[in-house]
Amino acid sequence: MAAGAGEFCVGHYTHKGLIRQANEDSFGYDADLGLFVVADGVGGSVAGSTASQLAVDIVLEEVPERLKNINADHGSVLSASIQTANSLIHKAGESDPSLRGMATTVVCALITGSTASVAHAGDSRLYLYRDSVLYQVTVDHSWVNEMIKAGVLNPQDALYHPNRHMITRFLGGESGVIVDVEKFEIEPGDRLLLCTDGLTEHLADEEIQSKLRLHRDDPGFVCETLVDRVLEEGASDNVTVLLVDCP
C-alpha cells in the first residue's frame, strides 16, 4: 500500500509469512510530523503482537508531546519515547500474567527539515537508499553481530548460525533499555526503508537495493515486491516493510 501525506510519499506492506500462525509485527507513522515506526514482537514470546503494537502506539503518542519543547534534541526525543514504551511494556508484562515475558524490537525515524534522527533497539533495521546505493544505518543488536565485532564469527557464517535470531536488546525485558541514536542529513530523492528481520532473513542487501531502484513514484509497489520475494523464499517469519520517499 502507498499513501501521499505531507511532504513524504509512504509505502508499506506486512505479512505473517508462511510459517507463523500470527503476525507479531506492527508499524505506524505520522507523515505530517515526519515520524515513522516499525516494531517486531519477539518470536515465540507471549503476546508479541501486543508488545509491538504498544511500542508503535506509545512512540507515536510520546514524540509529538516531547516536541512541544522546541529546544528538544530530536534524537533524545526518540530515545526518551522508546524508553517510555519500554517501561510501560515491562510494567504491563509484570502486572498481567497473560502478558508476562512479552517483548519487541523497535526502529523509528523522525525527519525534520533536512535532518533525519533514527533510534532503535533490537534487530529491526533502517536503511538509507541514496544515489542507487543502499546503506544500513542501524546496527543489529544481536548475538551474531556481537560475535562478528569480537572477531569470533565471520559474516558469511552468521547468515546460517543457529543463534542468528538471538537479540541482545529489546523492549519489555527490563525496566530500562539502551537505545542507539543516529543522525544524518537528508538529500533530495533519498528513500528510507524501515523493516523487520523477516525481510533481511531472506533477502541480501544487494537484492533489496535492486528493488529500490524501481518505481520511484510508487513506494507501495516496491514494498509489495519485496514481500513477494520473501514469500517466494519461504517467509519463515513475519515481514514488514515501510518505505519513505523524501521530496
Side-chain angles (χ1 to χ4, degrees):
M1 298 179 64
E7 297 182 337
F8 305 100
C9 190
V10 184
H12 49 82
Y13 203 80
T14 187
H15 197 287
K16 72 180 182 66
L18 301 178
I19 306 297
R20 299 292 178 87
Q21 296 300 308
N23 192 345
E24 294 182 326
D25 290 353
S26 299
F27 71 92
Y29 60 92
D30 180 342
D32 291 327
L33 191 64
L35 176 61
F36 308 91
V37 192
V38 166
D40 180 357
V42 175
S45 75
V46 177
S49 59
T50 300
S52 66
Q53 191 63 60
L54 276 171
V56 170
D57 291 345
I58 293 167
V59 169
L60 289 175
E61 291 170 4
E62 283 285 312
V63 170
E65 288 299 313
R66 294 178 183 276
L67 287 176
K68 290 178 180 178
N69 177 358
I70 60 173
N71 295 317
D73 174 77
H74 289 181
S76 298
V77 165
L78 291 180
S79 179
S81 298
I82 291 175
Q83 293 281 1
T84 298
N86 174 76
S87 178
L88 292 175
I89 292 168
H90 178 70
K91 287 178 181 177
E94 290 290 300
S95 60
D96 185 343
S98 68
L99 300 177
R100 190 154 295 145
M102 70 175 179
T104 183
T105 70
V106 68
V107 59
C108 55
L110 177 62
I111 306 171
T112 51
S114 62
T115 302
S117 300
V118 178
H120 85 294
D123 61 357
S124 294
R125 295 180 180 178
L126 183 139
Y127 287 95
L128 166 66
Y129 179 81
R130 173 180 292 168
D131 297 330
S132 300
V133 179
L134 187 71
Y135 305 92
Q136 183 179 334
V137 175
T138 56
V139 176
D140 293 351
H141 301 138
S142 64
W143 183 88
V144 293
N145 197 50
E146 294 293 330
M147 294 302 101
I148 290 170
K149 289 192 293 183
V152 176
L153 195 64
N154 69 61
Q156 192 61 33
D157 290 341
L159 295 174
Y160 308 100
H161 198 281
N163 290 338
R164 65 187 181 278
H165 299 298
M166 186 182 297
I167 55 176
T168 54
R169 292 190 210 172
F170 48 87
L171 276 59
E174 303 289 343
S175 58
V177 63
I178 299 172
V179 179
D180 283 357
V181 176
E182 303 285 345
K183 289 186 180 182
F184 57 91
E185 293 301 303
I186 290 290
E187 296 183 5
D190 281 353
R191 309 187 96 170
L192 301 187
L193 177 69
L194 294 80
C195 64
T196 60
D197 69 334
L199 178 72
T200 52
E201 168 74 9
H202 291 287
L203 301 188
D205 286 2
E206 292 77 13
E207 183 168 5
I208 297 171
Q209 177 177 274
S210 70
K211 294 292 187 288
L212 290 176
R213 290 197 182 104
L214 306 174
H215 304 284
R216 291 301 309 226
D217 60 342
D218 193 347
F221 184 79
V222 176
C223 292
E224 292 183 38
T225 301
L226 286 167
V227 174
D228 284 346
R229 278 291 298 123
V230 172
L231 293 172
E232 290 172 4
E233 293 296 322
S236 59
D237 197 358
N238 310 144
V239 55
T240 297
V241 288
L242 175 61
L243 181 60
V244 184
D245 282 349
C246 300

